[in-house]
Amino acid sequence: MSYRKTLTLALALAVIIGAGAAIADECATCHGQPEFKVKHKGLYDYFLDYENSVHGVAELECAACHGGDDGTTDFEQAHDGVLDPVRYDRIPATCGACHGEQYEAFITSDHYSMLEVDGTAPNCVTCHGAMDMDFIFATRVKSTCAFCHNHESGVLPGVPDQAEFILGKINVMKGYRSFVNTNLAEKDRAAGLEERYAALTAKWHRFDLEAMVDETKELLGDYRQAKADAVRDKRK
């Protein structure tokens, strides 16, 4: 299942579950109170980030990622095991529970192999942050890659530029997708482009960037042509 389909399903389930009443999550009883900010500002700010994130909008319960028991206000019971799912080396598996295609690609990467060995390689939050899952800035990812991949280290110094190029093109595609999906008369063609886009963005998590360059250029070209055709279709 693609990331887009997975997220759509998660949102739909959240709506269904929350239709009769708000999702029961007692974490907010403490973490969402202004008084909590005084002694635990970092955790309070983290909760605010969650509320405004794609996960918060979907009403994904805290325990879905953190574990613990979000149905109680008892401190010990609520926090039992909350650090296990978000331990740095376990974050990919936790995210992978929903983002399966991305996880399956990531576990074939060199980054994952290093993470398994010494626990210090990049993982999901390195690029996405803990909550900011919607838009990835190419320049931010480039600077993150450059911490390890640079001329001083000699470790694949071309990676930051490749990452910026690919993500830049993918972000351009995002600008075309909604228009194409809405206005292109050939719905099967639009669906095919969407499937290719989902596959490409999942493949990114394998970080075989050299192999992705030509595929990215080709898909962007096809999206540009599809947009031009969609403009024509809209004018008819």
Side-chain angles (χ1 to χ4, degrees):
M1 182 179 291
S2 70
Y3 167 77
R4 183 183 180 88
K5 291 179 180 177
T6 301
L7 181 56
T8 300
L9 178 59
L11 288 167
L13 288 173
V15 170
I16 293 170
I17 293 172
I23 293 176
D25 192 338
E26 294 295 346
C27 301
T29 302
C30 291
H31 289 256
Q33 297 302 314
E35 295 82 1
F36 194 76
K37 180 178 180 180
V38 177
K39 292 185 178 180
H40 306 284
K41 184 178 184 304
L43 290 174
Y44 177 77
D45 290 344
Y46 184 79
F47 177 78
L48 293 183
D49 287 342
Y50 157 75
E51 284 197 309
N52 295 315
S53 73
V54 65
H55 290 153
V57 171
E59 296 186 326
L60 185 69
E61 294 180 342
C62 301
C65 295
H66 287 273
D69 185 350
D70 57 11
T72 179
T73 55
D74 178 79
F75 182 86
E76 297 296 335
Q77 185 177 345
H79 292 83
D80 184 31
V82 294
L83 296 180
D84 291 339
V86 292
R87 199 179 78 182
Y88 190 78
D89 60 339
R90 294 180 182 172
I91 286 176
T94 298
C95 297
C98 291
H99 304 288
E101 283 187 287
Q102 289 75 16
Y103 177 68
E104 291 300 321
F106 181 70
I107 61 176
T108 66
S109 71
D110 290 339
H111 284 169
Y112 182 77
S113 297
M114 294 171 62
L115 189 67
E116 289 282 274
V117 172
D118 58 24
T120 60
N123 70 12
C124 312
V125 298
T126 307
C127 294
H128 291 281
M131 294 295 170
D132 184 17
M133 300 292 289
D134 187 37
F135 194 85
I136 300 299
F137 292 96
T139 53
R140 186 176 73 186
V141 173
K142 177 181 179 179
S143 63
T144 300
C145 295
F147 276 115
C148 295
H149 299 287
N150 54 64
H151 291 288
E152 287 74 17
S153 69
V155 180
L156 300 175
V159 162
D161 287 333
Q162 287 180 326
E164 183 182 38
F165 174 85
I166 293 170
L167 286 180
K169 300 302 183 187
I170 288 175
N171 285 335
V172 172
M173 289 180 210
K174 289 182 179 181
Y176 295 143
R177 287 171 60 224
S178 178
F179 188 85
V180 168
N181 290 338
T182 302
N183 297 291
L184 188 65
E186 301 172 82
K187 296 305 180 184
D188 289 344
R189 180 180 169 196
L193 288 170
E194 189 71 10
E195 288 183 7
R196 289 169 60 194
Y197 176 85
L200 180 69
T201 53
K203 189 182 297 183
W204 159 265
H205 295 81
R206 188 175 294 119
F207 303 108
D208 186 4
L209 304 186
E210 188 171 346
M212 288 183 66
V213 170
D214 289 340
E215 185 177 352
T216 302
K217 289 180 180 178
E218 181 182 355
L219 183 55
L220 179 57
D222 290 344
Y223 259 115
R224 282 180 171 145
Q225 183 59 57
K227 182 188 177 184
D229 294 341
V231 169
R232 177 204 62 206
D233 293 340
K234 187 178 180 182
R235 290 173 178 169
K236 287 181 177 179

